[in-house]
Amino acid sequence: MRRLTQPGLAAVLLLGVVAIAGTEPQIEDPFRVVEQLDGLAQKQLWPGFDPRKYPVAIYDGNRTWLFRHPQPPEQEFTRSERDTEVWFHQGRHPAMRSNSKASIGGITTGTLLLTFRPGRSAREEASILIHETFHIFQDARYPRWTANEAHRFTYPVADLANYLATILEDNALARALETEDVESTAGWAARAMELRARRRSRLAPEHREFELGLEMMEGTAFYVAHLALNESESTDRLLDILPPERFRWRPYATGGAIAALLDRLTPGWKTSVGQSADTTLEQLLRDCLEASETPPAEFSETELRGFGQRAEAAIAELVAERKARRSVFENQQVWRVIVDVAAGVDRFHLDQFDPINMRNLGQGDLLHGHRLTLTHPAGQVRMANPRFVRREFVGLNALSSVAEGHQLLAACREVVFTGFADVPQADSVDGRITVRADGLELELEPATVTRTGKTIRVTVGASTPRT
């Protein structure tokens, strides 16, 4: 029986050791990372994919280094004396937002922030670059391997039955990889697919598509990066049970696990996976299992009870956390700006937001801790938290509420902003309302503004437009 690990425990222990030693985690040399990438890329990872053929940008805390770029933008980068084929930008280039891909000089480039988690080896950092450059390869070779991120915000995160089934699925996939004989591997893989079929029959079509899309997009990239490290059959990510709200990162591990199982059960699958636009990793595994006719393996009753107890505890913790976050937001005795719409007026659209630093509080409410842009025929509202801290909700925050009968991101009936460092300044001129504060810009017409205590309310469509 595997135990539920405590998220962040290893990081806490590492920081404790660092503090005792009196040293900071070391950031790797970008040149060393590229050297390691070249070594890892000598292995045949995927037909037609060679990570050495793509430009990469690496930020080391002082400079952004540009490697293998065919057209370095000379206004932004300077040629390096260390290697004339390498360029650098002093500081963090605006395109370097995360470990991802970005357009630099009009060319899609893999991006790596060595400051994201200092202390990782050059080899580990190189595998992340392999992951990100594989996404560039995917865009050209498999353009349909995508997922609509909007669907993550309506996913039934608090559904106990769905969450428990994902835990069982992940453990079945892990056991399929851990067994040494093919029959046992097929048996546990069959159990995982049976659990998945029953679970997904209860999901809405868009949520099934979201999971499958992420497995194809992120699961394959995860697999390729770990194959480069000779860790494609690792079960750590599957057995490290994620909290319910972290479900978006689950398909990395499940997609990677299915790919590793296909390596074992049907070698050569990578050639066939792209032959049809509708072919998925899941379907390839199902086809293989049907041909083998291996019966599904079984969990014991004791194991099922243990998994059920973990799932119940995790969902209860999620519900309590949502309630606590809502209470903290609503009970602050501080200045608030509320934006809503009059009856019969078009709702706001959540145009831009940071999905990583956003929490679904249930009941159609989203808590935003970083960036948010609302658009409307009457104007625009923009928030950028000046005191933003990654994955924290300090400083300027917003709570958006969906209009009844609408999708979560499509129609917003009200947004509450709070956490201002200074008093918001509101002005009204002939039905045009403006509000300015550190981190908030609002301009709407026609609208009205009212003040009650420390609350400023702006209502769209409640006045007559200027003629």
Side-chain angles (χ1 to χ4, degrees):
M1 178 75 75
R2 298 298 198 286
R3 66 180 178 84
L4 177 63
T5 59
Q6 298 180 21
L9 179 59
V12 171
L13 293 174
L14 174 60
L15 290 174
V17 172
V18 169
I20 293 173
T23 59
E24 295 293 331
Q26 293 297 307
I27 293 177
E28 281 290 345
D29 178 359
F31 287 81
R32 173 65 175 161
V33 171
V34 173
E35 179 183 311
Q36 287 291 310
L37 182 148
D38 290 349
L40 295 175
Q42 293 178 22
K43 186 173 184 177
Q44 178 61 44
L45 302 173
W46 192 282
F49 171 62
D50 185 344
R52 295 168 293 188
K53 293 182 178 180
Y54 299 93
V56 297
I58 305 176
Y59 175 61
D60 65 4
N62 295 309
R63 292 176 171 179
T64 300
W65 298 88
L66 196 57
F67 297 82
R68 298 172 178 148
H69 198 287
Q71 298 174 343
E74 297 187 15
Q75 302 88 343
E76 304 170 24
F77 287 84
T78 303
R79 192 183 298 274
S80 168
E81 294 181 359
R82 183 171 173 180
D83 185 332
T84 57
E85 297 299 316
V86 178
W87 297 65
F88 71 87
H89 172 91
Q90 195 64 42
R92 181 169 169 172
H93 189 272
M96 304 296 290
R97 296 183 177 181
S98 62
N99 296 336
S100 185
K101 56 182 179 175
S103 178
I104 298 179
I107 305 294
T108 304
T109 304
T111 60
L112 175 66
L113 303 180
L114 296 177
T115 55
F116 183 74
R117 191 176 297 170
R120 283 194 288 215
S121 69
R123 191 167 178 267
E124 291 172 307
E125 299 286 9
S127 74
I128 296 171
L129 270 183
I130 289 176
H131 181 117
E132 304 306 345
T133 53
F134 189 75
H135 282 316
I136 303 175
F137 169 76
Q138 283 177 334
D139 290 345
R141 182 69 66 89
Y142 311 107
R144 292 185 57 148
W145 290 7
T146 60
N148 186 341
E149 291 286 352
H151 295 320
R152 65 182 288 192
F153 304 111
T154 58
Y155 191 89
V157 177
D159 184 319
L160 175 59
N162 184 70
Y163 181 60
L164 172 58
T166 64
I167 295 174
L168 294 174
E169 255 180 67
D170 293 353
N171 276 265
L173 286 172
R175 294 186 187 190
L177 288 172
E178 289 173 339
T179 56
E180 296 181 359
D181 64 280
V182 174
E183 185 175 352
S184 295
T185 293
W188 281 111
R191 171 57 61 202
M193 292 300 100
E194 184 178 84
L195 286 162
R196 174 175 290 204
R198 278 188 281 157
R199 179 179 68 84
R200 285 201 172 148
S201 69
R202 300 189 299 269
L203 286 178
E206 64 268 23
H207 299 142
R208 294 197 296 269
E209 292 169 7
F210 180 67
E211 287 187 350
L212 287 170
L214 278 179
E215 279 190 341
M216 297 305 295
M217 180 175 68
E218 296 291 0
T220 52
F222 181 89
Y223 158 79
V224 166
H226 283 74
L227 181 62
L229 295 173
N230 295 319
E231 297 175 358
S232 61
E233 295 197 359
S234 171
T235 59
D236 290 350
R237 282 282 289 265
L238 292 168
L239 296 173
D240 184 14
I241 300 174
L242 294 174
E245 282 206 316
R246 296 276 292 166
F247 76 94
R248 196 268 179 204
W249 281 263
R250 178 177 173 266
Y252 288 64
T254 57
I258 293 174
L261 288 171
L262 290 171
D263 276 345
R264 187 184 298 187
L265 298 173
T266 177
W269 65 273
K270 294 174 191 172
T271 302
S272 60
V273 71
Q275 291 179 352
S276 170
D278 298 323
T279 302
T280 64
L281 298 176
E282 176 184 312
Q283 190 57 55
L284 288 174
L285 181 58
R286 288 189 188 281
D287 292 345
C288 176
L289 294 172
E290 287 178 7
S292 72
E293 298 183 346
T294 304
E298 300 287 350
F299 290 106
S300 71
E301 289 298 322
T302 300
E303 289 173 325
L304 291 174
R305 282 196 300 272
F307 288 130
Q309 290 168 358
R310 297 181 195 184
E312 289 175 2
I315 294 297
E317 184 177 347
L318 169 63
V319 172
E321 181 192 17
R322 284 180 167 183
K323 183 177 179 180
R325 286 189 184 276
R326 185 185 295 276
S327 178
V328 168
F329 184 88
E330 292 177 346
N331 294 324
Q332 295 180 83
Q333 300 301 311
V334 294
W335 278 94
R336 295 170 179 272
V337 173
I338 302 176
V339 183
D340 62 7
V341 295
V345 176
D346 289 341
R347 307 299 185 178
F348 283 97
H349 179 76
L350 273 67
D351 189 42
Q352 297 179 16
F353 53 90
D354 181 351
I356 303 300
N357 297 283
M358 184 166 77
R359 291 292 182 272
N360 187 339
L361 300 188
Q363 304 174 22
D365 293 344
L366 297 173
L367 180 63
H368 308 262
H370 188 196
R371 297 188 308 271
L372 175 64
T373 299
L374 303 170
T375 58
H376 191 276
Q380 193 175 72
V381 182
R382 294 185 298 276
M383 180 191 88
N385 184 359
R387 291 180 285 164
F388 164 70
V389 178
R390 183 177 173 83
R391 300 191 187 281
E392 299 289 341
F393 289 83
V394 296
L396 182 58
N397 286 187
L399 184 68
S400 63
S401 299
V402 68
E404 185 176 356
H406 289 78
Q407 294 182 358
L408 200 59
L409 300 178
C412 183
R413 60 178 172 80
E414 179 184 272
V415 183
V416 181
F417 299 91
T418 188
F420 297 98
D422 300 306
V423 178
Q425 301 299 311
D427 294 298
S428 175
V429 179
D430 297 333
R432 179 185 294 274
I433 306 301
T434 60
V435 177
R436 296 288 184 270
D438 189 18
L440 179 67
E441 294 183 4
L442 177 156
E443 186 169 330
L444 297 166
E445 179 190 13
T448 60
V449 60
T450 58
R451 297 175 180 81
T452 305
K454 289 187 175 181
T455 298
I456 298 172
R457 180 181 291 273
V458 179
T459 301
V460 174
S463 67
T464 304
R466 288 181 298 172
T467 58

